[in-house]
């Protein structure tokens, strides 16, 4: 009989925190594990919003974020910072999620010490190393290192098999984002005040159809962001439409949006919302306009159409299920597809059906079992 396994979960950005808090909760409650958490602080404010709501106090906080950080500098600091924590903690497993710089550096630092890596949300591939950039390559690097691949869907499983990953190391677990959504929905149910902060905007826009917007992808900086801003302005010009847009803290997003949209009637640019309020935003929106990975998974689960402002998607399930549509970053295309959904009730209803191609909310429990049985 061996003792509990030491698991070090490493993350640093908002989406990783959202998708890993269900696993951190599950590990902490399970006697088979000693759970430790290292946050890189790649994001500061947006990470801390999630840590607060999920009630997670990291054992290590590298606090690495710098304003307008470059990828190479960030990656170098992540690698050395996480490496030191691994030397101190000597875990049995390092768990990383997704495709951020923190996840990639965490996996690499573990590999340099021959510590096995479990990859949550493994196997997403667009087939284009510049869309999304640099996440497609981050995923592939982690995929080469991981000893356990927790694929959210069968599509992701097949992508890994096609890369000759050992089938015994790939498991379809579902996506932990659905666990997170269930948890937050239950929390809001217990304590509605957690999501009541949008009430003034709901009052201001009463009777209007809300479009919820998020955007932040590096490959959309510059021209793409300008086009997205212009599409938002055109959509908000419809008298029955209002836009609620929590603006990402990345300065490349903020500067463009401030310049293009400040003062535009019926566009509310607001600070990033914490997770309960963002769930509420999806709930009150007629449709979502987003280049986010997580939103592409959450909107289908909540039955809200999402127009995906990317050239490719690593999440074809949402598109196949009919709730997500790829529209790229051409302003005319974004506006045309949004108009179609606003004007054509049949087209809208065809998209606005709840689907759960990404999971059943029990992914964290499955991953715990795999962490016990896979070494
Ligand atoms: C990163 C991830 C991307 C993920 C996104 C989620 C990489 C390579 N990219 O985007 O996969 O989809 O996060 O949002 O890891 N900032 C703050 N406060 C915050 C967060 C960001 O001020 O809480 C500002 C800082 O100036 C920071 C900048 O935004 O330097 C960019 O942050 P960064 O994590 O480098 O963002 P991305 O690489 O664009
Ligand atoms: N999100 C949030 N507040 C916001 C915008 C998004 O809590 O103001 C959540 C959203 O529900 C999703 C995640 O953040 O779970 C997506 O993060 P992001 O778009 O930053 O990154 P991506 O998913 O594209 O990697």
């Amino acid at each position: 009989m061996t003792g509990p396994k030491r698991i070090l979960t490493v993350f640093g950005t908002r989406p990783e925190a959202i998708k890993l808090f269900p696993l951190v909760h599950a590990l902490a409650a399970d006697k088979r594990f000693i759970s430790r958490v290292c946050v890189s602080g790649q994001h500061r404010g947006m990470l801390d919003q999630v840590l607060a709501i999920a009630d997670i106090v990291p054992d290590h906080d590298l606090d690495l974020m710098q304003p307008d950080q470059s990828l190479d500098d960030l990656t170098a600091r992540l690698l050395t910072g996480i490496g030191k924590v691994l030397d101190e903690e000597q875990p049995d497993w390092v768990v990383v999620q997704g495709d951020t710089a923190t996840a990639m550096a965490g996996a690499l630092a573990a590999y340099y010490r021959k510590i096995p890596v479990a990859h949550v949300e493994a196997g997403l591939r667009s087939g284009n190393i510049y869309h999304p950039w640099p996440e497609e390559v981050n995923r592939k690097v982690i995929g080469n290192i991981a000893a356990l691949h927790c694929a959210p869907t069968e599509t992701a499983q097949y992508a890994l098999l096609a890369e000759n990953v050992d089938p015994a190391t790939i498991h379809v677990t579902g996506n932990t984002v659905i666990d997170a959504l269930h948890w937050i929905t239950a929390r809001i149910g217990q304590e509605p005040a957690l999501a009541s902060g949008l009430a003034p905007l709901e009052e201001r826009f009463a009777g209007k159809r809300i479009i919820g917007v998020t955007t932040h992808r590096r490959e959309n900086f510059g021209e793409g962001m300008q086009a997205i801003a212009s599409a938002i302005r055109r959509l908000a010009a419809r008298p029955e439409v209002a836009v609620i847009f929590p603006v990402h803290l990345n300065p490349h997003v903020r500067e463009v949006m401030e310049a293009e949209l400040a003062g535009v009637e019926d566009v509310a640019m607001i600070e990033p919302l914490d997770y309960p309020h963002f769930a509420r935003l999806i709930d009150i929106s007629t449709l979502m306009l987003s280049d986010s990975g997580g939103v592409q998974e959450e909107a289908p689960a909540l039955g809200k159409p999402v127009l995906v402002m990317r050239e490719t998607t690593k999440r074809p399930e949402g598109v196949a299920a009919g709730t997500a549509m790829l529209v790229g970053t051409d302003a005319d295309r974004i506006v045309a597809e949004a108009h179609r959904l606003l004007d054509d009730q049949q087209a809208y209803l065809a998209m606005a059906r709840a689907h759960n191609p990404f999971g059943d909310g029990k992914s964290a429990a499955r991953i715990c079992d795999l962490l016990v049985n896979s070494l």
Side-chain angles (χ1 to χ4, degrees):
M1 177 81 186
T2 54
K5 299 224 175 310
R6 294 176 62 84
I7 313 291
L8 183 72
T9 307
V10 179
F11 55 96
T13 66
R14 171 173 67 190
E16 294 165 275
I18 288 174
K19 291 173 171 181
L20 282 174
F21 81 68
L23 181 60
V24 171
H25 288 173
L27 289 168
D30 191 327
K31 291 199 166 46
R32 296 175 295 173
F33 303 108
I34 295 170
S35 170
R36 308 279 286 169
V37 170
C38 170
V39 296
S40 68
Q42 175 178 337
H43 284 176
R44 190 70 275 168
M46 285 161 31
L47 171 71
D48 291 346
Q49 282 181 318
V50 187
L51 294 175
I53 188 72
D55 201 14
I56 291 173
V57 180
D59 301 288
H60 301 268
D61 189 336
L62 302 174
D63 198 21
L64 284 176
M65 193 189 89
Q66 290 182 357
D68 199 12
Q69 55 209 0
S70 71
L71 288 173
D72 41 12
D73 182 52
L74 171 65
T75 304
R77 287 183 290 116
L78 284 164
L79 199 53
T80 46
I82 297 169
K84 282 184 192 141
V85 173
L86 294 184
D87 288 340
E88 189 183 324
E89 290 287 345
Q90 306 270 338
D92 296 311
W93 280 105
V94 168
V95 176
V96 297
Q97 194 281 340
D99 49 19
T100 67
T102 294
M104 192 269 287
L108 202 52
Y111 168 66
Y112 287 160
R113 289 158 181 79
K114 298 190 178 166
I115 300 170
V117 170
H119 188 200
V120 176
E121 200 183 66
L124 272 61
R125 297 287 185 274
S126 70
N128 181 338
I129 62 165
Y130 294 108
H131 288 278
W133 171 76
E135 289 82 4
E136 179 79 354
V137 164
N138 286 347
R139 271 189 188 287
K140 289 180 149 198
V141 170
I142 302 168
N144 276 313
I145 291 171
L148 172 62
H149 306 261
C150 302
T153 63
E154 284 179 4
T155 310
Q157 179 187 32
Y158 294 139
L160 291 168
L161 290 172
E163 290 175 9
N164 294 323
V165 174
D166 178 357
T169 64
I170 310 170
H171 301 268
V172 179
T173 58
N175 197 313
T176 52
V177 75
I178 306 299
D179 302 37
L181 255 189
H182 287 187
W183 187 88
I184 211 67
T185 307
R187 278 290 278 122
I188 297 169
Q190 292 159 347
E191 213 180 315
L194 285 177
S196 63
L198 288 176
L201 278 179
E202 293 178 44
E203 209 167 288
R204 173 175 154 201
F205 295 142
K208 292 195 186 263
R209 300 171 84 188
I210 303 226
I211 301 182
V213 179
T214 80
T215 180
H216 72 276
R217 301 236 64 90
R218 279 180 188 259
E219 68 272 18
N220 287 344
F221 289 173
E223 248 176 62
M225 284 292 154
Q226 294 284 348
I228 290 168
S230 140
I232 293 170
R233 179 194 283 272
R234 285 162 64 185
L235 287 169
R238 287 177 66 127
E240 86 289 17
V241 165
V243 171
I244 299 183
F245 181 7
V247 184
H248 198 282
L249 293 176
N250 194 315
H252 292 272
V253 180
R254 300 217 130 198
E255 279 158 24
V256 173
M257 297 307 163
E258 286 289 336
E260 293 290 321
L261 296 172
V264 173
E265 210 185 333
D266 291 336
V267 176
M269 285 196 290
I270 58 177
E271 292 305 309
L273 292 167
D274 67 13
Y275 198 39
H277 284 98
F278 194 74
R280 174 74 189 157
L281 174 59
I282 300 180
D283 208 35
I284 62 171
S285 294
T286 298
L287 65 99
M288 299 296 297
L289 216 54
S290 181
D291 63 9
S292 157
V295 176
Q296 276 180 75
E297 293 149 346
E298 293 159 341
L302 297 171
K304 292 300 164 103
V306 53
L307 297 180
V308 180
M309 300 184 291
R310 297 185 180 197
E311 302 305 329
T312 58
T313 182
K314 303 172 293 176
R315 296 166 175 85
E317 297 86 355
V319 177
T323 350
M325 180 187 285
L326 270 188
V327 294
T329 51
D330 177 75
D332 289 341
R333 174 98 201 275
I334 297 169
V335 171
E337 293 298 349
H339 280 177
R340 197 172 66 83
L341 289 176
L342 292 167
D343 293 333
D344 179 345
Q345 211 199 1
Q346 285 307 103
Y348 182 80
L349 291 175
M351 277 186 87
R353 274 181 289 118
H355 292 280
N356 247 337
F358 298 106
D360 60 1
K362 296 177 182 146
S363 305
R366 286 190 194 99
I367 295 168
C368 283
D369 288 344
L370 290 167
L371 287 171
V372 170
N373 297 323
S374 296
L375 271 184

